[in-house]
Amino acid sequence: MFPKDIDIFNILLNAVSEGVIIVNEQQQIVDANISAANMFGYEREELLEKPLNLLIPKKYKGEHHAHVSGFMEKQESRQMGHGRDLHGARKDGSTFPVEAGLNPFSVKENNYVMALVIDITIRKQQEAKIQELYEDLEKKVVLRTKELSITIAELEAENKLRIQAEKDAKAALKKEQELNELKTKFLSLVSHEFKTPLSSILTSSMLLGKYKLTEQQAKRDRHIKIISDKVHYLNNILNDFLSVEKLEKGKVNYKLSTFKVSKVINEVVYNANMLLKDGQYINYPDDIDGYSLYQDEKIIELALSNIVNNAIKYSSENTQIDIFITQNDTITTFRIKDNGIGIPEKEQKNIFNRYFRAENALLVQGTGIGLNIVKSHLENLHGSISFESIENEGTTFTIQIPNKATI
């Protein structure tokens, strides 16, 4: 069975719109999300402890078992079925085309594979329609050439449409492939983000039992703090996923009220001070008592905390983080400036994309969700977020929000 201490993955798996199936070395299904169960026409519980071959059409079973076994031996992430067609079998006996990304991972010396499965029926239908379009166009060209009823200009026009259709189709397919690769990479990243703190919690829990003497209280306190910090980190990740789901389904209910800007800033800075590295310092204005907002206070605090915490995380020791605030009759502007690692220019266009993380930030903990959530919330409140950054010199984020919400 799948280890109980990672049941927390169920929350993550069911927040993913694509199908996710986890199998062990015996190719037995140990977990699956609701999307996967729906895709194959089963209840989720019907899939648990069943062989993976249950979901494979009969004529592909022997071949598929060999491919999965080969992948288990190599233990490296890749997209399954590259260069050949894959099919799934529903409970009612029908089959459908799929695409699958495979990611190996281990828990307590047990090896598993996480498969991200996508139903590509619509894509295949679109490809077929495109092929039909090509064939129809070619027939028309031959027929009309023979009949000499089409002018050169008309032929060129149709040819341009065909070329454009091909370009559009290729661009759409490329975009979909990039998204699938990003999601597969994201699942691997999140698996690591959960595994590391869970391991720390387990280790500290075991060590706590060894420190029984009164004079060992300091050691007990240190491990209790480690456990508390890791649980807090995991809770923040889960909250991010829940926020993503609510934003996607339009279930966010904003609570508007009038509050002092200084109250939010003091709260953000107070919490951020506990994260500061040695020598880091937050400089913020103390002359903003006259600034007020009629907005969702928690969302404004969340947005500012995300930017300030990132500034701390991606800046080195002995650096300063500056917060600037201005307000006119209609707009309040927050600027957060750091002297951190900055964002590479070629990756700046993706910085607000969900799951994206710049190459120079991959060694720092994070899921690539925070900025996407902040941007979505601010736009829902008719605000905006932008940034300027130079790699190895620092980044300045600018948030602009209406003084009075109009949602």
Side-chain angles (χ1 to χ4, degrees):
M1 292 293 293
F2 202 60
K4 293 295 184 181
D5 58 353
I6 56 172
D7 281 347
I8 196 171
F9 277 122
N10 287 332
I11 297 175
L12 165 64
L13 297 180
N14 289 319
V16 178
S17 58
E18 287 73 24
V20 179
I21 299 172
I22 300 174
V23 300
N24 58 20
E25 291 180 286
Q26 291 73 43
Q27 299 190 29
Q28 182 183 48
I29 299 172
V30 296
D31 208 350
N33 68 352
I34 294 175
S35 295
N38 292 339
M39 185 185 303
F40 288 90
Y42 290 89
E43 294 295 328
R44 176 178 171 274
E45 289 73 17
E46 292 182 276
L47 295 176
L48 302 183
E49 301 184 17
K50 297 295 190 301
L52 180 60
N53 268 354
L54 177 69
L55 306 180
I56 308 302
K58 184 176 180 180
K59 66 179 181 179
Y60 298 116
K61 285 186 178 181
E63 180 184 33
H64 183 270
H65 187 278
H67 281 296
V68 175
S69 298
F71 171 80
M72 281 285 193
E73 293 179 1
K74 292 183 179 179
Q75 283 289 299
E76 56 184 16
S77 298
R78 64 181 174 83
Q79 184 169 331
M80 184 177 179
H82 185 69
R84 56 190 185 86
D85 292 333
L86 298 178
H87 294 81
R90 296 190 181 93
K91 184 178 180 180
D92 62 8
S94 62
T95 62
F96 61 103
V98 300
E99 187 170 271
L102 303 181
N103 295 275
F105 66 98
S106 299
V107 177
K108 292 185 176 179
E109 299 182 355
N110 293 316
N111 296 322
Y112 300 91
V113 173
M114 178 184 292
L116 176 65
V117 184
I118 303 168
D119 184 342
I120 59 173
T121 300
I122 295 178
R123 189 208 301 177
K124 289 294 185 181
Q125 291 172 347
Q126 291 174 339
E127 290 175 349
K129 289 180 180 179
I130 292 173
Q131 184 60 35
E132 290 177 3
L133 175 62
Y134 289 165
E135 293 174 357
D136 288 342
L137 285 174
E138 289 176 359
K139 290 178 182 179
K140 288 179 181 180
V141 170
V142 172
L143 177 63
R144 292 177 184 178
T145 299
K146 290 180 179 179
E147 297 177 348
L148 298 178
S149 61
I150 299 177
T151 64
I152 293 177
E154 290 174 332
L155 286 172
E156 289 179 347
E158 288 198 16
N159 190 49
K160 287 180 180 179
L161 289 174
R162 184 179 65 82
I163 292 174
Q164 186 60 48
E166 183 179 357
K167 288 182 178 179
D168 292 344
K170 288 182 178 179
L173 289 174
K174 182 180 180 182
K175 185 176 181 180
E176 182 179 355
Q177 290 169 354
E178 290 175 348
L179 180 60
N180 291 338
E181 290 173 2
L182 185 59
K183 288 182 177 180
T184 300
K185 180 180 178 182
F186 163 73
L187 283 176
S188 298
L189 172 66
V190 172
S191 297
H192 175 75
E193 291 297 319
F194 272 85
K195 180 179 178 181
T196 301
L198 285 172
S199 298
S200 297
I201 291 172
L202 179 61
T203 300
S204 292
S205 299
M206 294 171 58
L207 291 174
L208 272 175
K210 298 182 178 181
Y211 300 131
K212 300 179 180 180
L213 301 178
T214 302
E215 57 267 26
Q216 293 178 317
Q217 182 62 42
K219 293 182 179 179
R220 288 195 292 271
D221 289 343
R222 180 166 63 86
H223 288 292
I224 290 173
K225 184 177 185 305
I226 290 174
I227 293 173
S228 176
D229 289 345
K230 298 304 179 183
V231 170
H232 181 70
Y233 174 72
L234 289 173
N235 185 61
N236 286 341
I237 293 179
L238 291 176
N239 285 337
D240 281 347
F241 282 113
L242 292 175
S243 295
V244 168
E245 184 179 14
K246 289 181 179 179
L247 284 166
E248 284 186 340
K249 295 183 178 180
K251 292 184 177 180
V252 180
N253 295 317
Y254 295 104
K255 298 179 181 179
L256 305 179
S257 63
T258 300
F259 56 90
K260 293 284 188 181
V261 172
S262 57
K263 176 187 175 185
V264 173
I265 292 297
N266 289 336
E267 186 71 19
V268 170
V269 173
Y270 176 81
N271 292 328
N273 280 337
M274 292 184 284
L275 306 175
L276 291 175
K277 301 172 185 175
D278 290 342
Q280 283 187 333
Y281 174 75
I282 300 176
N283 180 44
Y284 62 101
D286 56 6
D287 57 348
I288 56 173
D289 290 337
Y291 294 171
S292 296
L293 288 174
Y294 178 70
Q295 280 285 356
D296 188 314
E297 182 176 347
K298 291 299 180 183
I299 296 300
I300 301 303
E301 181 180 333
L302 177 137
L304 293 173
S305 294
N306 185 281
I307 303 302
V308 172
N309 291 350
N310 279 350
I312 295 171
K313 182 162 57 173
Y314 297 117
S315 298
S316 60
E317 298 177 351
N318 302 309
T319 55
Q320 179 171 302
I321 298 162
D322 294 301
I323 301 176
F324 306 96
I325 305 173
T326 58
Q327 186 177 75
N328 58 27
D329 293 340
T330 58
I331 298 291
T332 298
T333 301
F334 301 89
R335 291 175 58 242
I336 298 92
K337 179 180 182 297
D338 65 50
N339 297 288
I341 62 177
I343 305 166
E345 184 176 356
K346 66 179 181 179
E347 298 184 320
Q348 292 183 9
K349 63 182 179 181
N350 299 315
I351 202 66
F352 291 113
N353 291 346
R354 190 180 303 165
Y355 314 140
F356 177 79
R357 304 196 70 209
E359 289 294 332
N360 62 343
L362 294 180
L363 296 180
V364 183
Q365 279 189 329
T367 60
I369 297 178
L371 285 176
N372 178 266
I373 292 175
V374 167
K375 186 174 187 291
S376 297
H377 278 310
L378 291 176
E379 289 178 349
N380 287 345
L381 294 170
H382 303 292
S384 66
I385 181 170
S386 59
F387 69 92
E388 295 178 353
S389 184
I390 299 176
E391 190 172 5
N392 299 319
E393 292 188 19
T395 303
T396 299
F397 276 90
T398 300
I399 293 175
Q400 291 191 308
I401 196 77
N403 297 340
K404 292 185 179 180
T406 56
I407 60 173

